[in-house]
Amino acid sequence: MFKRSFGTDGSKNRAGKATKPTKRPFREHARQKLAMADSPPLGSTLTSPIITLTVGKEQRLFAAHEDVLCLSPFFMAACRGKFLEAHAKRIDLPDEDPEVFSSVLEYLYKGDYYPRLLHNKRRNCWELEDSQVLQHTQNYGRGAIESTIYHSDVGGAVLKDTVIYCTAEKFGLEELKRLALRKQGLQSGIEVATILRSMRYAYDNTPDTDSKLRAHYLALIIRSRKTFKRSGTMQMEMEIGGRMFFDLFVAMCNHMDDIVDITQVP
């Protein structure tokens, strides 16, 4: 299921930061998406009917144009009557997180969500909007405000981009999945417990056929294995078990095989 794609570049043992360079096709795609950030969705004049959405257990209200929502196959089906209340133009989403849904809606209108993905021309790299401010906040021990959210279903903090990825999977938004995965790779300094909790959430909320987010977590643990090896949380999670630790075993075997192959090259 997982290819031997885990690097051996000797990355520092800081959980949560990927060092793999971004490929050019994604850069070109991201520039195009960001250029559309302040424009209406393609082909939309924002004159379609307004749909009211009630989200979460607290029934928080949102409103969106029907043609914007219909960029998602899930909402296209909803607007055709599968979930829509008769005569009310209303969709109920009791199982969704309002904060996450707000980010999804922002993406549907602008092509990105806060913190946005920005290209640093001076350093020729991609970074998150206000990343320096967030890093300063972390240094003072108040945590990564925008990187995690409390999820009641798991009883703790999980990476927001992971939840957005899983929500995008449900709504059929492949580009949003790609964006959320890219942003997650730019996060750093995340606690081991949060990473493992988020990894288990990812396994519980993605199909076996979608291995990209799962592979991200497997590569992260291998890359920061010294940190995870010392973690009591890692030990407890492994004792609980599950599919993700078999995948981790396979990934580590592949990683070791790659190292052996490299050392045996004449």
Side-chain angles (χ1 to χ4, degrees):
M1 180 177 179
F2 297 100
K3 298 180 180 179
R4 299 179 183 181
S5 59
F6 305 104
T8 57
D9 56 358
S11 303
K12 294 183 180 179
N13 295 317
R14 290 190 62 193
K17 188 171 184 179
T19 57
K20 185 177 180 180
T22 307
K23 295 181 181 180
R24 181 171 297 276
F26 179 83
R27 292 180 177 177
E28 293 174 354
H29 172 79
R31 287 194 185 99
Q32 184 180 13
K33 295 291 289 185
L34 292 176
M36 296 168 57
D38 296 322
S39 302
L42 185 62
S44 169
T45 57
L46 299 185
T47 58
S48 62
I50 296 294
I51 306 296
T52 301
L53 305 105
T54 57
V55 182
K57 298 177 181 178
E58 298 179 355
Q59 297 188 324
R60 181 173 167 185
L61 293 177
F62 290 84
H65 293 84
E66 183 175 344
D67 58 354
V68 175
L69 287 176
C70 285
L71 295 174
S72 157
F74 176 92
F75 286 113
M76 181 177 291
C79 290
R80 288 176 178 174
K82 188 175 180 181
F83 310 109
L84 199 66
E85 289 187 5
H87 311 297
K89 290 290 184 180
R90 183 187 184 98
I91 299 174
D92 292 324
L93 301 170
D95 297 326
E96 302 304 321
D97 182 277
E99 183 178 350
V100 170
F101 183 76
S102 177
S103 295
V104 172
L105 206 56
E106 183 180 3
Y107 166 81
L108 288 174
Y109 274 95
K110 297 184 177 182
D112 204 342
Y113 62 90
Y114 181 81
R116 294 179 299 167
L117 185 65
L118 302 177
H119 185 249
N120 187 322
K121 294 182 179 179
R122 182 177 61 84
R123 299 176 59 188
N124 192 27
C125 66
W126 291 93
E127 60 187 22
L128 296 176
E129 181 182 19
D130 296 336
S131 58
Q132 297 300 320
V133 175
L134 294 177
Q135 183 62 43
H136 177 76
T137 302
Q138 291 178 23
N139 290 341
Y140 278 85
R142 287 179 287 181
I145 295 175
E146 292 295 336
S147 64
T148 63
I149 61 171
Y150 180 84
H151 202 290
S152 58
D153 290 347
V154 299
V158 293
L159 284 168
K160 180 180 178 181
D161 293 319
T162 290
V163 183
I164 289 176
Y165 182 102
C166 295
T167 304
E169 163 67 27
K170 182 188 301 183
F171 292 162
L173 296 168
E174 291 298 321
E175 293 300 330
L176 178 55
K177 288 169 56 180
R178 188 179 183 184
L179 179 62
L181 186 62
R182 183 68 185 92
K183 287 186 176 185
Q184 185 163 273
L186 296 175
Q187 298 289 356
S188 62
I190 308 300
E191 293 182 354
V192 167
T194 301
I195 292 173
L196 292 174
R197 194 181 301 117
S198 301
M199 181 180 180
R200 193 172 289 281
Y201 181 90
Y203 265 78
D204 290 341
N205 292 277
T206 55
D208 291 341
T209 54
D210 185 354
S211 63
K212 292 182 179 180
L213 181 58
R214 299 181 181 192
H216 165 80
Y217 278 110
L218 298 175
L220 172 60
I221 293 176
I222 292 174
R223 193 167 56 244
S224 305
R225 55 193 175 275
K226 291 183 179 180
T227 299
F228 284 89
K229 182 180 178 180
R230 298 191 301 265
S231 169
T233 304
M234 181 67 169
Q235 180 180 346
M236 289 187 294
E237 285 290 333
M238 292 190 73
E239 290 173 354
I240 295 173
R243 169 67 183 272
M244 66 185 192
F245 287 105
F246 176 76
D247 288 345
L248 179 60
F249 168 75
V250 173
M252 283 188 165
C253 288
N254 291 339
H255 175 69
M256 294 301 296
D257 289 344
D258 288 342
I259 294 176
V260 171
D261 291 343
I262 292 173
T263 58
Q264 290 181 345
V265 174

